[in-house]
Amino acid sequence: AQSVTQPDIHITVSEGASLELRCNYSYGATPYLFWYVQSPGQGLQLLLKYFSGDTLVQGIKGFEAEFKRSQSSFNLRKPSVHWSDAAEYFCAVGGLLYGGSQGNLIFGKGTKLSVKP
Amino acid sequence: EADIYQTPRYLVIGTGKKITLECSQTMGHDKMYWYQQDPGMELHLIHYSYGVNSTEKGDLSSESTVSRIRTEHFPLTLESARPSHTSQYLCASSERNTEAFFGQGTRLTVV
């Protein structure tokens, strides 16, 4: 069965430090890949997505992610974290289920990011 | 900014009550979804719809039901709420070739 693994449940970084959140998926072909962010009490906001082409994708709020086919990974990065980045981050794959709609998503369990002053 | 709205945002209700969680979108998307999110856990798809009068169950079994009478509206109903239904419910919509846009969620507590 398809699955998405986010191995880090909780990460704490200092403001201004760099960030990398890990995501691995298990699927034979390359699915659509997404990173969403969820602030407390809020819904999910799309940070970035990968469908095909350039394996380094740029998103909103200064985030980027790199798709590595050989590692089945889609890690999220930011060179300098801001206090407002504290939130929960979800990696997801889409387009695999129920007719291939990108809205049918398989999510990882999320990584909670805390930012120290 | 995505225009998808969920009401209520928070709901505390007694066991055995019937409840309906509302979800509306103004983007004209054909596809709509309901996800369930327990604290510290991943989101799971419980229902989806690819158009009016089309509804299907997702990969997580749920006692809830949904309807899609209008394109913009996708309500979720629990006929008899139980404490095990306590969770956050997120509604989303998309087109086939676009990502999903999410509402702000309804946090349901059944006491």
Side-chain angles (χ1 to χ4, degrees):
Chain A
Q2 299 90 2
S3 65
V4 178
T5 301
Q6 293 181 247
D8 303 306
I9 297 172
H10 189 187
I11 285 181
T12 300
V13 300
S14 297
E15 190 167 16
S18 63
L19 171 71
E20 182 169 26
L21 303 182
R22 295 181 291 166
C23 174
N24 294 92
Y25 64 92
S26 63
Y27 187 64
T30 301
Y32 299 111
L33 297 162
F34 305 88
W35 275 99
Y36 284 88
V37 61
Q38 185 178 35
S39 298
Q42 301 297 314
L44 275 69
Q45 181 183 23
L46 181 70
L47 284 176
L48 47 76
K49 58 189 179 185
Y50 173 78
F51 295 160
S52 63
D54 193 347
T55 57
L56 184 64
V57 294
Q58 302 297 322
I60 63 171
K61 304 183 180 186
F63 285 93
E64 66 179 26
E66 184 173 12
F67 168 62
K68 292 185 177 180
R69 185 188 306 274
S70 61
Q71 299 176 18
S72 296
S73 69
F74 188 55
N75 294 348
L76 182 71
R77 301 195 294 249
K78 186 170 185 178
S80 178
V81 169
H82 187 263
W83 64 266
S84 61
D85 294 325
E88 189 146 23
Y89 292 79
F90 290 93
C91 181
V93 302
L96 301 176
L97 304 173
Y98 310 120
S101 167
Q102 293 168 26
N104 286 328
L105 297 164
I106 301 170
F107 284 90
K109 292 188 176 183
T111 298
K112 183 176 180 181
L113 174 65
S114 298
V115 181
K116 293 189 299 185
Chain B
E1 189 163 327
D3 296 314
I4 180 163
Y5 307 100
Q6 291 186 241
T7 57
R9 292 288 313 281
Y10 304 92
L11 179 61
V12 181
I13 199 162
T15 298
K17 299 292 186 181
K18 178 180 179 178
I19 58 171
T20 296
L21 309 185
E22 302 288 349
C23 176
S24 296
Q25 50 97 5
T26 59
M27 297 173 283
H29 288 168
D30 286 334
K31 303 182 190 330
M32 295 189 73
Y33 317 84
W34 277 102
Y35 286 86
Q36 184 173 341
Q37 182 184 26
D38 292 326
M41 300 296 291
E42 64 269 59
L43 289 81
H44 286 287
L45 182 69
I46 52 174
H47 298 283
Y48 64 99
S49 167
Y50 284 176
V52 172
N53 295 324
S54 161
T55 62
E56 301 289 345
K57 290 188 178 294
D59 58 340
L60 180 68
S61 175
S62 174
E63 294 170 344
S64 58
T65 59
V66 293
S67 63
R68 188 89 181 277
I69 299 173
R70 304 197 313 267
T71 297
E72 64 271 20
H73 194 214
F74 191 41
L76 181 146
T77 298
L78 281 164
E79 291 291 335
S80 180
R82 295 207 298 270
S84 60
H85 297 140
T86 294
S87 189
Q88 174 155 257
Y89 294 85
L90 288 158
C91 181
S93 71
S94 77
E95 291 292 352
R96 177 174 174 83
N97 294 320
T98 70
E99 68 274 14
F101 295 90
F102 282 82
Q104 292 194 305
T106 295
R107 187 171 296 279
L108 172 65
T109 302
V110 184
V111 297

